[in-house]
Amino acid sequence: ETGVTQSPTHLIKTRGQQVTLRCSSQSGHNTVSWYQQALGQGPQFIFQYYREEENGRGNFPPRFSGLQFPNYSSELNVNALELDDSALYLCASSLGGQGNSPLHFGNGTRLTVT
Amino acid sequence: GENVEQHPSTLSVQEGDSAVIKCTYSDSASNYFPWYKQELGKGPQLIIDIRSNVGEKKDQRIAVTLNKTAKHFSLHITETQPEDSAVYFCAARPPYEKLTFGTGTRLTIIP
């Protein structure tokens, strides 16, 4: 069984730039959720994708957007990067879009915005 | 929306002793309560979860208890070992909604 994999592991960007983070879900999982984890904090929900559609969103601005592909992999895109976007971005996969199954996380992408 | 509070923020225990981490939640509709362990440089790893139709669940040295009336749930680790040192997160989820995390507890096991 392949777990959740994320790329890249680390990334440094400049304020105002755009970034794309990628996630491959655990085999058999059709739902992907993205979380932002600031240093010393718990993960904060960004959004969830199920069957290539966004089906839940947290309190994040529209410059945070995503995609899910037919193979259930996913991308998180952030436009117009701000210093406060520096964080660990976590992808989690699960089975079913209703949120009834456990989330399994990848090891995240550490984004630094300078 | 759901709000989860977690205490303590840091906890140090002697190897072999027990550790207890407590969480409270605000939304009485929440029915799923997982616990995650996060080691340095890694993502959160699910270690145990409980649903609202049970009051306690055990898995070897780890147990979770749930008090729906008081909206409290706790993680108990017995016979702690050095490899238990990590940051632990509780979380709660109402039906068909997102998972909301607590702020974490840094557990240090003293050899």
Side-chain angles (χ1 to χ4, degrees), chain A residues 1-4 24-32 49-51 68 70-73 92-97 101-102 104:
Chain A
E1 181 179 271
T2 305
V4 177
S24 294
S25 60
Q26 182 169 314
S27 59
H29 286 182
N30 57 12
T31 302
V32 173
Y49 277 83
Y50 173 64
R51 292 185 175 177
Q68 186 181 32
N71 66 353
Y72 306 131
S73 66
S93 72
S94 57
L95 186 60
S101 68
H104 296 269

Side-chain angles (χ1 to χ4, degrees), chain A residues 66-85:
Chain A
L67 286 171
Q68 186 181 32
F69 300 100
N71 66 353
Y72 306 131
S73 66
S74 177
E75 287 181 355
L76 165 65
N77 299 290
V78 187
N79 293 323
L81 283 167
E82 301 177 359
L83 297 179
D84 285 349
D85 295 333

